[in-house]
Structures are given as C-alpha cells and as structure tokens.
Amino acid sequence: MGTPPFALSGRRVFVAGHRGMAGSALVRRLTREGCEIITADRKTLDLRRQADTEHFFNREKPDIVIVAAARVGGIKANNDLPVDFLADNLAIELNTIRSSFDAGVRQLLFLGSTCIYPRLAQQPMGEDQLLTGPLEPTNEWYAVAKIAGIKLCQAYRRQYGVRYVSVMPTNLYGPGDNYHPEHSHVVAALIRRFHEAKVSGADSVTVWGTGTPRREFLYVDDFADACVHVLKNYDDEQILNIGVGKDISIAEFARTVATVVGFGGTLAFDLSKPDGTPRKLVDVTRLSELGWRASTRLKEGVALAYADFLRGRATTAA
Ligand code: GDP
C-alpha cells in the first residue's frame, strides 16, 4: 500500500486464460488502458506443458502477466473431477509463474478464489484467515491448487523482490460464463434453467441444495476493473479480496434470476445436491482503502448476463 500508481499504458500484457470469463473481461479492460495484449489459444499453447510454456514466454517477453488460466467449474465439477482440478491447476500455475520469472517478468497478477478460506471462516472473511482451518470438501482440490499458486507468488516476492500479487475474487458471473447444465456455477446454471423453463412453459424450476447458503456475486467487468486498479496501486505480499461486500441467500438469488428471466413459476429445492460452504462473504476493507468499489448492482448484472446468454443461443442457432 502507499505505492505510486504504476502506468499500464503501452505495456505488453500476457493474459493467460483469455477465453475464460475473467480473462476475456481482463482483455476488454486492459485494452481500454492502452496495453498491448498478448494471448495464446489452447491449441497453440497448453500451459500444463512446461517446455512449451517456457518457450512461449522466452519468445514473447511480456512486461506483465495475468494468470487467469485455470481449470474451473461449479460445485459438482469440483467434486466429480478432483484430479483435473488439482493437477491441471498446479501445472498451469507452476509453469506460468516460473516461466514468467525466468523470462524477466517483474509484475504478475495471480487470480485465486475465495474457496481458499476455511469452510467455517469468520464472516466477513478477512485475508488473514488463509490457512487457519479446514477447507470445504466439495472444492478442496481447487482450493489447495490455488493456495499453492498464492504461496508461489509470495515465495518469488520474498526471494527475488518481484511485484507478484494475488487477488481473491468472490463468485464471478457475467458475459462469457460457462452454461454447462451440470458443471457450471450457480448464476449461469440458473439463468439457463429458468430460461428453458420459461420457453417450455414449465411450472417449477429445480434449485440445488436447501437454498440457505449465502454467496456474494461480483460482475466480471467490475472484477476486471478492480484488477487494473490493483495492478496500478497495490504491491504487497498479503493477498487481496475482491468483492462487493454484500451477500444473498441462494433462494433469494434464484428469485432474482426468475424475475430477470421472466419465469413466473415456483422453485423446487433438490436436497440431494450439496450446499457447499454455508457462507462466503469477503471482507473488502483493504480493497476499499485502496479506493475501489464495485459499481454493477446484482439485478442489473444478471440482466446483462442473461442478455449474453441469449446472444450465445442466437449465435449457436444461426
Ligand atoms: P460454490 O460457491 O463454490 O459453492 O459454487 P457454485 O456456484 O457451484 O454453488 C453455489 C451455491 O449454489 C451452492 O450452494 C449450490 O448448491 C447452489 N446451487 C443451486 N442451484 C445450483 C445449480 O444449478 N448449479 C450450481 N453449480 N449450484 C447451484
């Protein structure tokens, strides 16, 4: 904290994971900042492969690296695919962070997740709660990999004095989300399910779990804006939460999605599906002190996300 703003204009920025929801929002935002964006398609560069990743970094020589590449998915995907979530993410992190350093990159932003905090962390969850208790079992594979990435950035800072920073976004949603019926996160899953129910004229929509867990949702373009703010103003070993500072129950959230989509039927809670962590609200005090706050209200963001979903449907159908 207290560091002078760091100019981003004209810098060569490699956004790893640019096709993902967070990565594509970061590309949009960094382009507006006047950065020269470097990307690599999964077909040409598999970040799980060490030699290919090293070669890419040595050739491209970026000034700044954003590690937005990850194997991601909702509560069911995490549970069903533990090897993919642990091994792929460890490989991606180690290869991108180490290759960045070896290629002379002095500034890097690593995207973590709030699932790194203990399952029963005090609410709101301050950054100092990392590694103070057991993780939520439904996503511990992903969480352990993300904790390793955080630690690797901290290790590089300590050993070599580089500006490697980790941010912990709360649950993100928005354009470019994954609408897979089972492996998506709750926002995309419910947008799709409510839309399909509306179109088919169904009376009821299934919502997983009891509806009582609470989540905090951040619109992805707000997140990208926060990342730019962090890149310019933050240089510290301590991880940094990025959220809105307000949460909502899944039941209440489902009703919001129903309203936005225009579904007038009832909700049916499927108790055979896991609830996951009871509550996940981040403490955004440190981010607020840096002078940043989210600007997109939940209902407005869900409407934008729904419009994106409809555009995707129209493109697929065309
Ligand atoms: P989490 O924040 O890591 O638990 O990720 P999710 O976005 O997958 O789930 C958030 C909460 O929404 C959990 O309590 C889920 O049980 C609940 N939920 C309700 N319906 C759905 C759904 O259709 N898909 C998903 N992924 N979660 C759902």
Side-chain angles (χ1 to χ4, degrees):
M1 300 217 186
T3 42
F6 187 94
L8 295 176
S9 171
R11 306 232 170 215
R12 279 170 70 74
V13 184
F14 173 49
V15 180
H18 73 289
R19 290 215 182 270
M21 176 173 59
S24 53
L26 278 155
V27 169
R28 287 195 289 278
R29 182 64 187 82
L30 287 162
T31 303
R32 268 176 39 215
E33 205 60 32
C35 297
E36 183 192 340
I37 309 287
I38 309 167
T39 58
D41 278 326
R42 208 170 295 180
K43 274 194 215 114
T44 49
L45 175 64
D46 183 341
L47 293 167
R48 293 171 302 181
R49 300 176 74 92
Q50 184 181 353
D52 295 357
T53 310
E54 281 171 1
H55 179 73
F56 174 83
F57 274 85
N58 287 329
R59 191 185 67 217
E60 294 295 337
K61 295 252 175 263
D63 300 316
I64 300 173
V65 171
I66 317 273
V67 187
R71 174 83 167 158
V72 295
I75 195 163
K76 188 170 188 306
N78 258 272
N79 240 343
D80 292 352
L81 310 167
V83 173
D84 299 15
F85 278 81
L86 182 56
D88 284 0
N89 284 317
L90 284 173
I92 291 168
E93 290 162 8
L94 182 59
N95 292 338
T96 47
I97 297 168
R98 189 157 59 185
S99 302
S100 293
F101 180 76
D102 292 346
V105 174
R106 307 285 299 171
Q107 187 174 13
L108 178 145
L109 187 72
F110 176 68
L111 272 52
S113 158
T114 53
C115 70
I116 53 124
Y117 292 118
R119 170 183 162 77
L120 299 177
Q122 253 177 31
Q123 306 288 322
M125 307 184 294
E127 289 89 350
D128 55 2
Q129 292 204 54
L130 175 62
L131 292 173
T132 56
L135 298 167
E136 156 62 33
T138 51
N139 54 26
E140 68 178 340
W141 317 100
Y142 183 72
V144 165
K146 286 291 176 188
I147 293 170
I150 292 167
K151 287 291 153 193
L152 190 58
C153 289
Q154 291 177 341
Y156 270 108
R157 289 186 70 92
R158 283 209 193 169
Q159 199 168 328
Y160 298 107
V162 285
R163 190 175 173 130
Y164 287 12
V165 164
S166 299
V167 288
M168 301 306 118
T170 192
N171 290 35
L172 299 177
Y173 72 99
D177 210 338
N178 155 27
Y179 294 98
H180 188 281
E182 291 215 306
H183 288 169
S184 56
H185 285 102
V186 63
V187 182
L190 293 186
I191 285 177
R192 178 178 178 158
R193 216 171 293 141
F194 281 114
H195 173 77
E196 288 175 351
K198 181 177 87 167
V199 170
S200 71
D203 303 329
S204 165
V205 161
T206 304
V207 178
W208 294 0
T210 58
T212 57
R214 298 184 70 83
R215 293 290 184 274
E216 176 185 6
F217 298 106
L218 176 64
Y219 189 63
V220 72
D221 286 289
D222 281 0
F223 171 65
D225 190 61
C227 287
V228 164
H229 192 78
V230 169
L231 281 167
K232 288 180 181 171
N233 296 290
Y234 187 76
D235 180 14
D236 200 291
E237 178 178 307
Q238 176 66 291
I239 61 175
L240 188 67
N241 289 335
I242 301 191
V244 294
K246 227 169 81 177
D247 63 359
I248 181 171
S249 75
I250 293 299
E252 203 184 330
F253 176 68
R255 283 190 280 275
T256 304
V257 179
T259 307
V260 168
V261 172
F263 171 78
T266 56
L267 309 184
F269 291 93
D270 178 356
L271 304 184
S272 71
K273 294 285 197 306
D275 267 345
T277 308
R279 197 172 181 204
K280 234 178 2 169
L281 174 66
V282 294
D283 185 339
V284 288
T285 308
R286 297 177 73 244
L287 182 64
S288 310
E289 281 169 7
L290 280 180
W292 189 89
R293 56 192 283 245
S295 59
T296 309
R297 289 229 277 267
L298 187 60
K299 206 165 164 186
E300 181 194 335
V302 172
L304 291 167
Y306 182 43
D308 173 67
F309 168 82
L310 292 176
R311 267 195 304 276
R313 287 263 149 146
T315 319
T316 324

